[in-house]
Amino acid sequence: MGGVGGEAKGGHGEALGNGERLKVSHGKWIERGWLRWCKDVLEGVYKSGAFEHEKCPKSKNSSEMPETITSRDAARFPIVASCTLLGLYLFFKIFSQEYINLLLSMYFFVLGILALSHTISPMMNRFFPANFPNKQYQLLFTQGSGESKEEIVNYEFDTKDLVCLALSSVVGVWYLLRKHWIANNLFGLAFSLNGVELLHLNNVSTGCILLGGLFIYDVFWVFGTNVMVTVAKSFEAPIKLVFPQDLLEKGLDADNFAMLGLGDIVIPGIFIALLLRFDISLKKNTHTYFYISFVAYIFGLGLTIFIMHIFKHAQPALLYLVPACIGFPLLVALAKGEVTEMFSYEESSTPKEAAGASKEEPTEASKKEK
């Protein structure tokens, strides 16, 4: 799902997995970029953990409810990811790279605007004056009629959301025209935060299945074939965070970047978020497993960079992140005698699922009455 290594010029370069590869030089800049990546994980995790307390009471849109990943989904994910990767590889071999990237740019242009708008909306609300003329809107698409009517899209928004959408559109146009690294990072941050916030693992076993499967996926496609590297070199999309190593020399026109794929943020991030919710469920007013797993993430990322420096070769980041993020919390659980509690913890259904269940119950009851 991502790797570390390689040099990039002008926003391109060798890449691994769900993102790109990271060339480490100018240690102080890498350290700052590394800390920023960790901060991104932390922000997404805390937003995700908030769902355990609030269950989205302020969310009016079903699209903003977290989507739960089951063990079956986790087991299929590496297979689907491999098929997608191989499909992209064949596409780049058969069709013109220019046209494929044009199509991908338009796709991520739309997704990036929506993701960035959703991300900045809570922050922007603080800057609107109290007398701002805020009107409510609703976008509703239904299918069928009468009792068989089914909602396809039901999205409520207001004038403030439209302002955020307009600001995000400016960033989108900037990215589409210039592919500037700042615009890339804004979209990448938005994708990461939304991914960690809106994707939930239902239990620790599912998390281990997902991380274990992607561990094998990452190692195989990085070391076993040239498919991942070929796709990543050809793929132009905001699926990585970049940090300019020559920022002091060239300013905003920097073109020598350190990179980290979004998969190396989101995948460990949703597992760390699960451990945060597990901490909350213990009701001990401590976040032991969250802190341990987050430290493990920092350790794994640092180890990736260290190994790459030693062997002068690109490394798949999940090769080091997965053992760290699973191993550290498991050792703590063994020491505290809470392994059973950890693996028996099952997250309750999300509001989205609960709402669906409540709709089905009256239907079944009405059938019995008839």
Side-chain angles (χ1 to χ4, degrees), residues 144-324:
S145 60
E147 295 182 357
S148 62
K149 182 182 291 187
E150 181 183 358
E151 287 187 2
I152 305 300
V153 175
N154 186 1
Y155 193 84
E156 297 181 17
F157 56 97
D158 53 32
T159 309
K160 294 179 181 179
D161 293 325
L162 292 178
V163 172
C164 294
L165 188 65
L167 292 175
S168 301
S169 298
V170 173
V171 177
V173 173
W174 184 23
Y175 171 78
L176 197 62
L177 297 179
R178 297 289 304 276
K179 295 292 192 299
H180 197 275
W181 62 270
I182 294 180
N184 175 91
N185 282 358
L186 289 174
F187 277 174
L189 288 171
F191 287 141
S192 299
L193 293 174
N194 279 278
V196 176
E197 180 183 353
L198 299 178
L199 289 176
H200 277 194
L201 294 166
N202 60 353
N203 54 52
V204 173
S205 297
T206 300
C208 291
I209 293 172
L210 179 65
L211 289 173
L214 291 176
F215 172 89
I216 298 172
Y217 161 89
D218 213 21
V219 173
F220 173 77
W221 289 111
V222 170
F223 292 139
T225 71
N226 70 334
V227 171
M228 188 176 285
V229 175
T230 302
V231 170
K233 283 181 176 180
S234 309
F235 202 87
E236 294 181 9
I239 56 169
K240 76 275 185 184
L241 295 184
V242 299
F243 193 79
Q245 300 177 8
D246 52 350
L247 182 64
L248 291 180
E249 294 82 4
K250 298 184 178 180
L252 297 180
D253 294 324
D255 58 5
N256 186 22
F257 300 109
M259 304 181 188
L260 186 71
L262 299 189
D264 299 326
I265 299 174
V266 175
I267 299 302
I270 61 177
F271 185 74
I272 296 172
L274 172 67
L275 294 180
L276 173 59
R277 297 191 294 276
F278 171 63
D279 273 325
I280 295 172
S281 73
L282 294 177
K283 298 179 180 179
K284 295 183 178 180
N285 295 323
T286 60
H287 293 162
T288 304
Y289 293 102
F290 164 70
Y291 290 129
I292 289 297
S293 59
F294 189 69
V295 169
Y297 178 82
I298 297 174
F299 171 79
L301 196 57
L303 182 61
T304 308
I305 296 172
F306 175 75
I307 295 294
M308 188 186 55
H309 263 303
I310 296 298
F311 292 99
K312 308 298 181 184
H313 190 277
Q315 302 293 319
L318 291 184
L319 175 63
Y320 308 97
L321 291 175
V322 169

Side-chain angles (χ1 to χ4, degrees), residues 19 38 77 215:
C38 296
F77 195 89
F215 172 89

